[in-house]
Amino acid sequence: MSNIGSYDERIINFDWNIAEKELDYKPGDIINIGWYCSDRICEKGFGNKPALIWEGSTGIEKRYTYNELRMNSNTIGQFLRDLGIQPEDRVCLFMDKIPELYIGFLGILKMGGIAQPLFSAFGDESLFVRLDNAQTTAIITQKKHAPKVRKIMEKMPYLKHMIIVDADPAKPLLDREVAFDLEKAEKIEKFTVHPTYAESPSLLHYTSGTTGQPKGVKHVHYSLISQYLTSKWVLDLLDTDIYWCTADPGWVTGTSYGIIGAFSNGVTQCVLDAGFSADNWYRFIEKHKISMWYSAPTAIRSLMKAGEEVIKKYDLSSLRHLASVGEPLNSEAVIWSERVFGKPFLDTYWQTETGSMMITNFPGMKIKPGSMGKPFPGIIATVIDAETFEPFGVPGKIGLIAIRPGWPSMMRTYWRNEETFKKKFKNGWYLPGDRSSIDNEGYFWFVGRDDDVINTGGHLVSPFEVESALLEHPAVAESAVVAKPDFVNMEVVKAFVTLKPGFTGSKDLDLDIMNFVRKKLSPLAMPQEIEFIDSLPKTRSGKIMRRILHAKEWGEEIGDTSTLEND
Amino acid sequence: MQEIIKNYVTKEYVEDDTELTYDTPLISGGIVDSFSMVSLKRFLENKYSISIPDDKATPEAFDSVNKICVLVREYVK
């Protein structure tokens, strides 16, 4: 029997206080995610249970019990407090998937700070706009990423500290830099956790939109309630599980389910901080006897591409339950996983703003390969007409996914951008920006985004951000960026570019532009293909018609071109 | 060829003063990610006037300078 038991029974009279009771939380109590993920598990008598088993790219392994997780997060919390960091100050985590990232996250929350994890592959420009928007007080990073921070330090007078967790003692630190070695630091046994409450801010995750700068999604400590329960009911976490969430905590899955959901449920989780290879992933599952595996369609399709011979080299019989997130999981991948692993990957649908799963497939429920599943108990979701914002009420029609606001982990606002936050709501519904239909059994079927945002490998990339970066390249006159279909990543970034006089499109220029964007923004945002063209399709008012370029890439009808400039 | 590729990878993908060897794991070591592999492949194709089929450009084949050299030599005429 799974944790959720019967889905149909769970949705009747569901109340989030199920989770509150299990967590011994009552409305008005202090609630601190850092404490719930470490101290509470120890108080329940599981201090000696392994919490984190970490493996680096060279094969080095580190293990932390829940008691060590508690003391190490105390130690980081105290260090930050001693530096003068105040509650609600933003503290950025800019690291690879090393133990300090996971433990530092809890330490920040325990001292009352707002954790701001950022993907360590971000280039200096991407890093700057996010730190600048958050007016970040401190950044915790590794020496390998320090040069990117140093490059923009001058522009950030509000950034008081760059904390380097593996600083080379032989090299002098610069102004505002401080070294902190967690392993060598004296461990703090007793630490006064900051008394945060349900609505106290906990986390800022940045996400991209079609236009404008990235938005800082603000979450609060009460998000724990839905992150805990969805982990228990959808990921079906058991005390005996060895759990592997492959996501990077620079993104929301890596925090909601790679830290909060896992540790608040008291499971043992493994982290592999190494680049992808099918051999290495299967070896990791075999070695650690992973039983619950939460991954992403891009990774699953990469495994499919690697073939089945490699699977036969490893004993993967420990796998009990599989789930996926980040982008729609195609039916072929579901069928493939059932055939090769003996169980299907269950697709889960949610996003940075929702903080936890919204529409998912559940253990024990009939799986329709390719479907997103059904709303989590307590989540009222439907599909509405894009013009009237009214639910269709009949199955099969494609419209906007709409969710009734009010679940615990819903974002509270976009940081310093309340106006954009308000635009996410129409007619009493929260609109995630995706389109789908609902079949006659209540299953949701994903159709696509409702905007130009590119979903590549489960990460959202703003065409606006890439176009802006392209325009800074000395050869680029104009640019338009669209999604291009891709087997592994679902979509990749494609750029159409016109050149300034004196420049000619060539393979070398193509590579130069790719690398320019990669370093400035991130590898995800780097155009995987650049097409040099003479002019971009525009409306008579001069607006670039991305729609036409998108349709060309996807082999779709171009549609109405009556406003086209040269038509 | 080894030195050219090593220097290119160091210049484009290494963020700090890490010294690469011809056998340093690039993909599994997290120096070059799967998205950046596309630009590395493009460099090799431009530099050596070759075309590497997508199904040969695997994380395993790109995992060190030496492995990349083996792959490139397959296509250099």
Side-chain angles (χ1 to χ4, degrees):
Chain A
M1 174 65 92
S2 61
N3 283 332
I4 189 172
S6 162
Y7 172 78
D8 293 331
E9 287 175 21
R10 287 290 193 187
I11 56 174
I12 300 167
N13 299 322
F14 173 85
D15 196 308
W16 289 107
N17 68 19
I18 294 171
E20 293 180 350
K21 282 179 186 162
E22 289 189 12
L23 291 166
D24 303 315
Y25 168 80
K26 290 189 292 302
D29 283 356
I30 290 170
I31 178 170
N32 185 295
I33 290 173
W35 182 85
Y36 269 97
C37 289
S38 55
D39 299 60
R40 178 174 177 270
I41 305 299
C42 296
E43 285 186 9
K44 284 166 67 82
F46 297 103
N48 291 326
K49 182 176 179 179
L52 176 64
I53 300 172
W54 175 87
E55 191 180 305
S57 60
T58 56
I60 186 171
E61 191 179 291
K62 293 182 182 177
R63 288 172 177 256
Y64 300 83
T65 63
Y66 271 96
N67 194 41
E68 288 165 331
L69 191 65
R70 178 184 68 81
M71 289 206 294
N72 278 285
S73 54
N74 285 350
T75 306
I76 293 183
Q78 189 63 53
F79 177 77
L80 295 172
R81 201 173 265 171
D82 291 345
L83 271 183
I85 312 272
Q86 299 295 313
E88 301 201 13
D89 277 353
R90 276 72 65 205
V91 181
C92 175
L93 294 153
F94 189 57
M95 287 179 272
D96 297 346
K97 291 190 285 182
I98 58 174
E100 286 85 345
L101 173 56
Y102 296 79
I103 298 166
F105 180 85
L106 301 181
I108 294 166
L109 299 184
K110 283 171 119 173
M111 58 73 57
I114 302 176
Q116 184 194 5
L118 289 177
F119 185 43
S120 62
F122 274 145
D124 54 284
E125 181 67 24
S126 289
L127 182 62
F128 173 69
V129 297
R130 289 159 175 82
L131 296 178
D132 194 50
N133 179 260
Q135 296 283 291
T136 307
T137 303
I139 183 168
I140 308 177
T141 191
Q142 297 163 266
K143 63 183 177 192
K144 69 187 280 195
H145 300 306
K148 286 194 285 200
V149 185
R150 287 186 184 123
K151 208 170 162 186
I152 53 176
M153 204 77 174
E154 279 291 301
K155 296 193 283 181
M156 302 186 293
Y158 44 82
L159 189 74
K160 293 177 185 161
H161 309 285
M162 171 157 65
I163 300 155
I164 304 173
V165 297
D166 56 352
D168 184 346
K171 291 190 177 170
L173 295 169
L174 306 179
D175 184 33
R176 292 187 269 169
E177 295 181 6
V178 55
F180 176 70
D181 187 329
L182 181 60
E183 279 188 24
K184 290 182 184 160
E186 190 183 335
K187 300 298 174 288
I188 304 291
E189 168 64 36
K190 290 198 171 152
F191 178 75
T192 308
V193 174
H194 186 75
T196 47
Y197 291 88
E199 293 303 307
S200 302
S202 57
L203 174 63
L204 266 190
H205 261 305
Y206 277 78
T207 184
S208 296
T210 307
T211 58
Q213 297 293 4
K215 297 163 289 183
V217 176
K218 178 184 152 187
H219 285 293
V220 296
H221 281 267
Y222 191 62
S223 71
L224 169 70
I225 299 300
S226 34
Q227 288 154 346
Y228 165 82
L229 198 62
T230 49
S231 296
K232 186 167 182 179
W233 285 6
V234 181
L235 302 181
D236 198 37
L237 294 179
L238 304 175
D239 285 343
T240 50
D241 268 328
I242 307 292
Y243 169 60
W244 183 26
C245 170
T246 61
D248 187 314
W251 309 101
V252 72
T253 302
T255 54
S256 290
Y257 296 101
I259 300 179
I260 304 171
F263 291 145
S264 64
N265 273 278
V267 300
T268 298
Q269 77 156 326
C270 295
V271 170
L272 175 62
D273 181 26
F276 174 84
S277 94
D279 251 309
N280 204 25
W281 277 37
Y282 293 138
R283 176 202 59 76
F284 189 73
I285 291 170
E286 179 185 77
K287 178 182 174 187
H288 296 287
K289 297 187 167 45
I290 305 291
S291 53
M292 199 291 136
W293 183 18
Y294 192 28
S295 197
T298 293
I300 297 163
R301 289 192 288 267
S302 295
L303 293 171
M304 288 171 73
K305 205 173 156 188
E308 293 174 30
E309 278 306 306
V310 63
I311 298 174
K312 294 175 189 162
K313 289 161 59 179
Y314 299 94
D315 176 5
L316 307 179
S317 59
S318 59
L319 290 172
R320 179 182 71 79
H321 181 41
L322 319 176
S324 166
V325 64
E327 67 211 75
L329 185 63
N330 48 318
S331 56
E332 295 83 355
V334 178
I335 293 163
W336 175 81
S337 73
E338 188 149 30
R339 183 162 56 78
V340 300
F341 302 128
K343 42 205 56 85
F345 272 98
L346 303 191
D347 194 14
T348 64
Y349 169 84
W350 58 292
Q351 59 174 191
T352 307
E353 286 89 338
T354 68
S356 67
M357 298 166 188
M358 294 286 102
I359 300 168
T360 95
N361 291 280
F362 296 88
M365 189 170 98
K366 181 175 82 173
I367 303 301
K368 297 187 179 184
S371 158
M372 300 156 70
K374 295 183 176 185
F376 188 82
I379 299 298
I380 300 166
T382 188
V383 169
I384 62 173
D385 185 293
E387 301 292 326
T388 64
F389 303 114
E390 292 291 342
F392 286 128
V394 290
K397 282 197 163 185
I398 294 171
L400 302 175
I401 296 176
I403 306 168
R404 191 71 79 195
W407 65 94
S409 65
M410 184 182 160
M411 71 165 161
R412 295 309 195 256
T413 190
Y414 288 125
W415 193 256
R416 298 168 66 196
N417 197 350
E418 185 74 10
E419 194 183 340
T420 304
F421 172 71
K422 285 178 181 164
K423 286 181 185 165
K424 298 292 288 186
F425 300 87
K426 298 282 182 198
N427 199 23
W429 296 99
Y430 168 72
L431 305 183
D434 292 315
R435 292 178 298 131
S436 84
S437 65
I438 306 174
D439 70 17
N440 56 9
E441 290 183 287
Y443 286 75
F444 284 63
W445 295 81
F446 192 87
V447 174
R449 287 286 303 172
D450 185 46
D451 54 24
D452 292 332
V453 174
I454 300 163
N455 185 336
T456 184
H459 307 298
L460 300 186
V461 172
S462 158
F464 168 82
E465 246 190 302
V466 183
E467 287 165 3
S468 300
L470 284 165
L471 292 179
E472 290 183 42
H473 188 280
V476 175
E478 288 185 303
S479 67
V481 165
V482 298
K484 175 186 163 71
D486 182 79
F487 171 75
V488 170
N489 296 298
M490 189 174 85
E491 297 178 347
V492 291
V493 175
K494 171 160 183 181
F496 292 86
V497 161
T498 66
L499 296 174
K500 287 178 182 167
F503 290 94
T504 310
S506 68
K507 287 180 178 178
D508 287 340
L509 180 59
D510 173 272
L511 178 60
D512 191 63
I513 295 173
M514 286 170 79
N515 284 332
F516 180 81
V517 176
R518 178 174 58 78
K519 288 182 202 171
K520 203 166 188 55
L521 299 181
S522 74
L524 301 169
M526 177 186 78
Q528 305 247 324
E529 189 178 317
I530 296 173
E531 189 171 328
F532 298 109
I533 54 177
D534 294 334
S535 65
L536 296 172
K538 291 179 189 166
T539 63
R540 291 190 185 98
S541 59
K543 193 178 169 201
I544 293 169
M545 296 181 80
R546 278 201 206 106
R547 174 174 64 78
I548 288 179
L549 299 169
H550 185 276
K552 186 182 155 205
E553 290 306 312
W554 291 77
E556 295 167 350
E557 289 289 322
I558 288 175
D560 181 18
T561 58
S562 59
T563 58
L564 194 60
E565 186 179 44
N566 300 320
D567 198 35
Chain B
M1 182 187 285
Q2 283 170 314
E3 203 56 21
I4 289 170
I5 295 172
K6 190 183 90 169
N7 288 343
Y8 182 79
V9 171
T10 302
K11 178 170 82 75
E12 288 295 333
Y13 304 104
V14 177
E15 294 173 352
D16 58 359
D17 49 8
T18 301
E19 292 261 340
L20 294 186
T21 69
Y22 298 145
D23 292 312
T24 301
L26 301 177
I27 309 295
S28 60
I31 293 169
V32 179
D33 61 81
S34 58
F35 284 88
S36 300
M37 259 179 60
V38 175
S39 54
L40 180 53
K41 175 173 178 277
R42 193 70 50 86
F43 163 75
L44 298 168
E45 290 177 331
N46 291 359
K47 182 75 188 173
Y48 298 103
S49 303
I50 55 174
S51 176
I52 303 172
D54 285 344
D55 63 344
K56 300 289 181 190
T58 62
E60 289 77 11
F62 272 63
D63 205 27
S64 70
V65 170
N66 274 337
K67 286 178 181 171
I68 292 171
C69 288
V70 170
L71 179 70
V72 169
R73 286 193 187 105
E74 273 185 50
Y75 297 95
V76 174
K77 286 174 187 168

